[in-house]
Amino acid sequence: MASTRVARPAPHVLLAGAILFLGAVLLALPAPAADAFNPAQTSGKKVNEVEIGYLKKVTRPTTLPASRLDKEPEDIGLAGADTALRENNSAGQFLGDHYSVKEKRVGPDDDAVAGLQELLDQGIRYVIVDAPADDLLALADATKDKEVLLFNVRAPETELRQEQCRDNVLHVAPDRFMLADALAQYLIAEEWTDWLLVAGPTKGDQAYAAAIERAAERFGGNIVDRRNYKDIPGRDRDDIGTIPGPSQGAAEGDDVASYDVIVVADEGRAWSPYAPYRGDALRPVVGTAGLMPESWHGAHSKWGARQLNNHFEEEHSRIMLPVDYHAYIAARSVGEAITRNRNADFDTIRDFIHSDKFQLNGFKGIKHTYRAWDGQFRQPILLVTDNVVVSVSPQPGFPHPSAPDVLVDTLGIDQDETRCEIYETAKQ
């Protein structure tokens, strides 16, 4: 990916149309709640019950967040799927379709595959999976010869879309490469080209840092130094989050003037929320704290997002979080595909979601689809602080080399880079 910037109009104001308007209209309708479906409104048609599974693998956190306010709500994800039922049933009440969600929680020491089988035994074929990468792969392999489609709403590992891709898994959650690319484009657009990278000790932290390094090389960033944050036990210490000194081998005299921003890689947010305020690092902090790349934010208000956030808050008395948004998109994907393919079998529905005929309003200014080469949901990424949305990537000036009108594919793995052999085989 060349780093040359070419002035182009922002993609979000050029995209549009009817599908976004339709989605906003459906969202605004006073649709019945999922448990208030009225069969009489189907005009005598036989009701087609569509039950969507939600498999939640409860995990033991390896690190605790720095703030108790970062604790995830008990209903995270499931609440997003529930909100999607509003729109699914808005159309379904006229077509004879009724949508509901069935949750299955699996404990840390329990078998996720056995939990999935319980859902399948009830006739469920579309399952939202909120689980770590290894469990997601086990679920995909256990159902590879079955009529089952899984939606990944949690795991960010790029390998799941590449060497470890599965054709029965669609990824709504963005991978780390997409997040890093979105951040890098913004930094380069703002001419903040010199970065100090500080990475935490966990496997996820190191993977996030590697994604940042890839993005820097891809778009023209310069990592002047990489430092490792070493956590010390004691959550109430006054030095948590202090940026470490120059790494061994750094240039003599390295100081705050040597870089424009500090990029922190701390996926568990165990220390990075303190980073902007402790130590002598007087530069903007970005990454997992400060300015952060996220798929969704409660302050997002463009392209009909205000309505979605308002509805969610009315129904669940809290803001919509990224995993909620992912589950919302997964459930809406099922509803949209079934609505567009009346009385179709599973194979037709699955193939339609994979095809370029499928389009969904994701309230981020484009017609959302899934990438044919790795099953990743195409989506712009929001650049946010705790309270506001600062920008949206892809940024103007980073054209897609083979498809100038699909700028969103400058985020993450592009088609000519894919290492997903299943999709490569299917294209031949």
Side-chain angles (χ1 to χ4, degrees):
M1 173 65 62
S3 60
T4 302
R5 299 183 59 235
V6 179
R8 290 180 180 269
H12 321 298
V13 299
L14 301 179
L15 301 164
I19 191 167
L20 302 184
F21 176 76
L22 177 61
V25 169
L26 285 176
L27 188 63
L29 286 174
D35 58 355
F37 180 72
N38 183 3
Q41 292 181 285
T42 64
S43 303
K45 297 184 180 70
K46 181 181 178 181
V47 176
N48 174 35
E49 292 286 351
V50 181
E51 197 164 40
I52 301 170
Y54 192 98
L55 181 69
K56 167 72 173 181
K57 179 66 180 284
V58 180
T59 59
R60 297 186 182 93
T62 56
T63 59
L64 293 176
S67 172
R68 59 188 294 271
L69 300 181
D70 279 342
K71 181 180 179 181
E72 288 191 344
E74 186 70 17
D75 65 346
I76 191 169
L78 185 65
D82 180 70
T83 294
L85 298 181
R86 168 192 290 271
E87 292 178 67
N88 287 358
N89 284 325
S90 291
Q93 66 182 347
F94 301 110
L95 299 172
D97 298 325
H98 177 234
Y99 297 84
S100 58
V101 174
K102 176 72 172 181
E103 182 188 26
K104 174 61 183 179
R105 285 181 174 255
V106 179
D109 299 321
D110 296 330
D111 183 9
V113 173
L116 176 61
Q117 189 59 51
E118 290 186 27
L119 295 174
L120 304 186
D121 290 343
Q122 299 174 58
I124 295 173
R125 294 295 174 260
Y126 307 100
V127 182
I128 301 168
V129 179
D130 182 351
D134 54 351
D135 289 296
L136 178 64
L137 286 176
L139 296 170
D141 291 342
T143 56
K144 63 181 180 180
D145 297 322
K146 299 180 180 180
E147 292 186 343
V148 177
L149 187 59
L150 307 177
F151 293 86
N152 169 30
V153 299
R154 172 76 67 169
E157 285 80 1
T158 302
E159 309 88 78
L160 294 174
R161 290 84 166 160
Q162 300 304 311
E163 296 89 348
Q164 297 295 325
C165 67
R166 302 291 189 271
D167 61 0
N168 58 349
V169 180
L170 291 170
H171 303 278
V172 184
D175 71 351
R176 293 186 179 102
F177 283 7
M178 291 178 68
L179 298 174
D181 287 352
L183 179 61
Q185 285 190 10
Y186 179 77
L187 296 180
I188 299 304
E190 293 296 313
E191 299 184 352
W192 294 341
T193 56
D194 294 333
W195 311 343
L196 165 63
L197 176 58
V198 182
T202 72
K203 181 179 179 181
D205 297 344
Q206 294 297 313
Y208 192 100
I212 293 293
E213 291 177 325
R214 171 187 175 273
E217 182 177 355
R218 195 176 193 210
F219 296 110
N222 176 32
I223 298 177
V224 299
D225 193 11
R226 173 169 172 161
R227 305 177 189 174
N228 293 319
Y229 182 88
K230 295 183 179 180
D231 197 20
I232 301 173
R235 298 185 63 217
D236 296 325
R237 298 191 338 268
D238 290 337
D239 59 347
I240 294 176
T242 301
I243 298 299
S247 60
Q248 186 176 4
E252 184 178 353
D254 181 44
D255 58 19
V256 71
S258 301
Y259 44 86
D260 301 311
V261 296
I262 302 168
V263 186
V264 291
D266 169 33
E267 288 194 328
R269 288 174 59 83
W271 53 269
S272 58
Y274 289 106
Y277 314 106
R278 289 190 169 167
D280 57 358
L282 303 179
R283 285 293 182 268
V285 172
V286 303
T288 59
L291 184 69
M292 301 170 286
E294 297 279 9
S295 59
W296 193 255
H297 195 274
H300 182 38
S301 60
K302 293 183 178 180
W303 306 298
R306 186 188 303 275
Q307 289 177 295
L308 176 58
N309 273 323
N310 286 345
H311 282 309
F312 183 90
E313 290 159 18
E314 290 168 3
E315 294 166 0
H316 303 288
S317 301
R318 62 175 180 82
I319 63 171
M320 176 178 266
L321 299 171
V323 175
D324 296 311
Y325 176 72
H326 303 159
Y328 166 85
I329 290 296
R332 281 290 296 123
S333 295
V334 175
E336 181 70 12
I338 290 176
T339 297
R340 302 297 181 190
N341 297 270
R342 304 299 307 139
N343 303 314
D345 59 16
F346 172 84
D347 288 346
T348 300
I349 299 297
R350 177 200 60 207
D351 293 346
F352 177 80
I353 296 176
H354 279 92
S355 76
D356 57 7
K357 296 179 182 178
F358 173 87
Q359 294 181 357
L360 190 69
N361 179 13
F363 304 96
K364 291 197 281 187
I366 71 170
K367 295 174 286 187
H368 294 266
T369 61
Y370 291 90
R371 288 174 176 160
W373 56 90
D374 60 5
Q376 174 66 58
F377 186 65
R378 281 188 175 94
Q379 55 182 308
I381 299 298
L382 312 180
L383 283 304
V384 307
T385 68
D386 287 336
N387 296 316
V388 297
V389 177
V390 175
S391 185
V392 183
S393 287
Q395 299 290 320
F398 296 93
H400 188 277
S402 60
D405 296 331
V406 192
L407 298 189
V408 73
D409 283 346
T410 62
L411 306 180
I413 297 291
D414 203 355
Q415 186 168 6
D416 61 354
E417 303 171 290
T418 187
R419 300 180 302 280
C420 177
E421 293 183 0
I422 293 175
Y423 285 86
E424 283 294 296
T425 301
K427 291 190 300 181
Q428 295 176 357

